[in-house]
Amino acid sequence: MNDGKKKGIILIIIGICIPLFALPFVSGLDINKGFMDNFYNAGIRITKSAVPAPPETAAGKPSGDTAGKNPLSLERMRIERIPFRFFLVPTFILLYIGIVMIDRAKSREKKTGHV
């Protein structure tokens, strides 16, 4: 087995391990929801509060209307979870690169006549 095949197999294994190592920390999966709902709502929670605090008006009372609020406020920009789909992107990229590396290694073997 040449170096191209070995590197391709290692990339595929790393690509498969990335979401498997993140999976125990994922929350938001629901068996009653569909595939796309679970795909968009699953993630790793990084804040303690599950529900963000409601926005407050100038008088200090919460309001449901956020039309006049600054869209760049810290409350709106706070990250509460990392979506699980962000862990799937490097998986697909590494799987693709690994498969291409194995395929190129096979084509090089055929051209040189090595087995």
Side-chain angles (χ1 to χ4, degrees):
M1 188 181 307
N2 62 8
D3 290 338
K5 266 189 181 177
K6 288 179 186 177
K7 289 178 184 177
I9 291 171
I10 289 172
L11 285 176
I12 291 172
I13 291 171
I14 291 171
I16 291 171
C17 288
I18 289 173
L20 289 179
F21 288 146
L23 199 57
F25 305 106
V26 172
S27 63
L29 293 173
D30 188 6
I31 201 163
N32 296 327
K33 292 182 180 177
F35 174 75
M36 292 308 289
D37 285 335
N38 281 328
F39 184 71
Y40 283 113
N41 294 329
I44 298 174
R45 186 148 314 272
I46 56 174
T47 60
K48 288 187 179 185
S49 65
V51 178
E56 296 183 7
T57 60
K61 296 180 182 178
S63 73
D65 184 24
T66 60
K69 293 294 179 185
N70 183 5
L72 298 177
S73 67
L74 290 176
E75 290 82 24
R76 292 185 61 142
M77 292 176 48
R78 183 178 58 182
I79 299 172
E80 294 185 9
R81 65 180 175 85
I82 302 170
F84 184 64
R85 62 183 180 265
F86 288 173
F87 293 97
L88 295 177
V89 170
T91 298
F92 294 130
I93 292 171
L94 290 174
L95 286 174
Y96 176 76
I97 293 172
I99 290 170
V100 168
M101 288 182 76
I102 291 172
D103 187 47
R104 285 188 180 173
K106 284 183 181 180
S107 65
R108 277 190 224 130
E109 284 179 2
K110 288 180 183 177
K111 286 181 182 177
T112 59
H114 294 271
V115 177

